[in-house]
Amino acid sequence: MNMLKERRNYENHLLPCDFHNYFTMGKVPAYMVVHDLIKLKIKDGTYPVSEFLPTEPELEKIYKVSRTTIRTAMEILKDEGLVEIRQGRGTIVLDSRAIQSLNKVTSVTECLRNRGFDVRTKSMYIDIIHATERLGKELNQPIGTPIARIQRIQLINEKPIAIIKDYLPYALVPNIEQFTNKFNGLYEFLEHQYHLEIESADDKIFAKSADFAESEMLAVLPGTALLCIQRICYKGAEPIFSDDVCILGDQYELSISSKGRNK
């Protein structure tokens, strides 16, 4: 049974008070409702990271369901990387968010891999467009210059997490379209295939709500919180490409270290 796919049809919009209504009316399987309620409590800190969840008998009493239902819900949470089931000890809450440090130039894909996720590109489309005023300014190119545009959806553990668009002067990456669906991590690919060394980056970071198209691509509800990163990467003083990334806000975190005060 593809439980993860079935769960996405209603994930993130159940409230605790909805449990008995959904369960008794048979709208969704009980294990999926239990899963969502426990996940909600993990997200809001009721069940803190590195702490054990209540025992199976305790969860049975809390949700008034069978042990089989609890175990099925736990298996889904485990598959999502939210918990770890420790035989004979219980189920512990994991820190499932990928944390990207902005002190070094690291891509989203590299960050996710470093956290132990299986990262895969679901779909990729590479085409050649012409530099707009914005792209021309970002990439220091005349308006109308050929620009390679790479669009892709990244998955972690087979679940969509990010929509990524990259823009590169075509002169730097000739014939890049022939590599469609042949790489996952762009930064590594550019370094190895085109010898483009990334030395620095400027980032603009903001939050937004997923629109309908984004929600469809990421298999979430419209309005879901997204973390957006607009980045320009440089070799020396020359911009070599720009990124537009929209990533699920509850799955990703940015960190930065600062020193000194600018008064």
Side-chain angles (χ1 to χ4, degrees):
M1 179 185 296
N2 190 342
M3 293 183 291
L4 291 179
K5 183 176 180 181
E6 189 178 356
R7 175 185 56 74
R8 290 190 191 116
N9 292 329
Y10 67 96
E11 185 186 32
N12 291 331
H13 68 123
L14 279 182
L15 297 175
C17 59
D18 293 326
F19 175 73
H20 289 294
N21 288 336
Y22 271 76
F23 179 57
T24 57
M25 294 174 66
K27 288 188 176 181
V28 294
Y31 67 80
M32 298 177 76
V33 181
V34 172
H35 159 275
D36 275 1
L37 294 176
I38 294 176
K39 183 173 181 177
L40 198 64
K41 290 184 177 181
I42 291 173
K43 286 183 178 181
D44 69 15
T46 302
Y47 297 143
V49 170
S50 300
E51 298 289 335
F52 284 93
L53 292 176
T55 64
E56 286 185 352
E58 289 171 334
L59 291 172
E60 290 174 52
K61 292 179 180 178
I62 292 170
Y63 298 107
K64 298 180 173 57
V65 294
S66 69
R67 184 160 301 187
T68 299
T69 296
I70 296 297
R71 288 181 175 176
T72 304
M74 290 300 108
E75 283 297 323
I76 300 175
L77 291 167
K78 183 188 75 172
D79 291 342
E80 293 176 331
L82 293 171
V83 302
E84 179 182 324
I85 300 172
R86 298 184 177 179
Q87 200 66 32
R89 296 186 60 195
T91 301
I92 194 168
V93 178
L94 300 178
D95 185 354
S96 63
R97 294 172 300 176
I99 302 175
Q100 179 177 348
S101 171
L102 296 182
N103 301 315
K104 297 287 185 180
V105 184
T106 305
S107 72
V108 169
T109 298
E110 290 168 338
C111 176
L112 292 169
R113 282 180 178 160
N114 290 339
R115 293 286 293 178
F117 292 108
D118 178 23
V119 184
R120 182 175 72 83
T121 300
K122 177 184 177 182
S123 55
M124 180 185 295
Y125 181 68
I126 302 177
D127 61 353
I128 311 304
I129 61 174
H130 294 95
T132 60
E133 183 176 356
R134 174 193 161 189
L135 284 174
K137 186 178 296 185
E138 288 180 353
L139 299 174
N140 194 25
Q141 298 289 322
I143 295 175
T145 299
I147 301 292
R149 177 175 60 182
I150 306 170
Q151 301 179 80
R152 53 206 164 110
I153 299 173
Q154 294 295 79
L155 310 179
I156 57 169
N157 301 335
E158 296 304 306
K159 179 181 178 181
I161 188 173
I163 303 167
I164 304 177
K165 298 178 183 178
D166 308 287
Y167 303 90
L168 307 95
Y170 191 61
L172 295 179
V173 288
N175 302 314
I176 192 173
E177 61 269 30
Q178 70 182 341
F179 295 102
T180 300
N181 291 320
K182 294 185 178 178
F183 61 88
N184 279 325
L186 177 64
Y187 291 20
E188 295 171 327
F189 170 75
L190 293 176
E191 290 166 350
H192 295 152
Q193 184 65 37
Y194 290 100
H195 308 293
L196 291 175
E197 298 294 331
I198 302 162
E199 297 175 354
S200 62
D202 290 333
D203 292 314
K204 178 182 177 182
I205 303 162
F206 57 97
K208 63 170 287 187
S209 298
D211 61 26
F212 176 74
E214 291 162 338
S215 69
E216 287 293 297
M217 286 187 276
L218 294 172
V220 295
L221 292 172
T224 297
L226 301 179
L227 178 67
C228 300
I229 307 168
Q230 293 179 349
R231 167 176 285 182
I232 302 174
C233 291
Y234 297 85
K235 182 176 182 179
E238 189 66 23
I240 53 177
F241 69 93
S242 65
D243 283 333
D244 280 342
V245 177
C246 288
I247 191 164
L248 292 177
D250 65 349
Q251 298 288 312
Y252 209 73
E253 184 176 303
L254 298 169
S255 68
I256 187 168
S257 296
S258 301
K259 190 174 183 179
R261 287 261 291 138
N262 183 14
K263 296 184 179 179

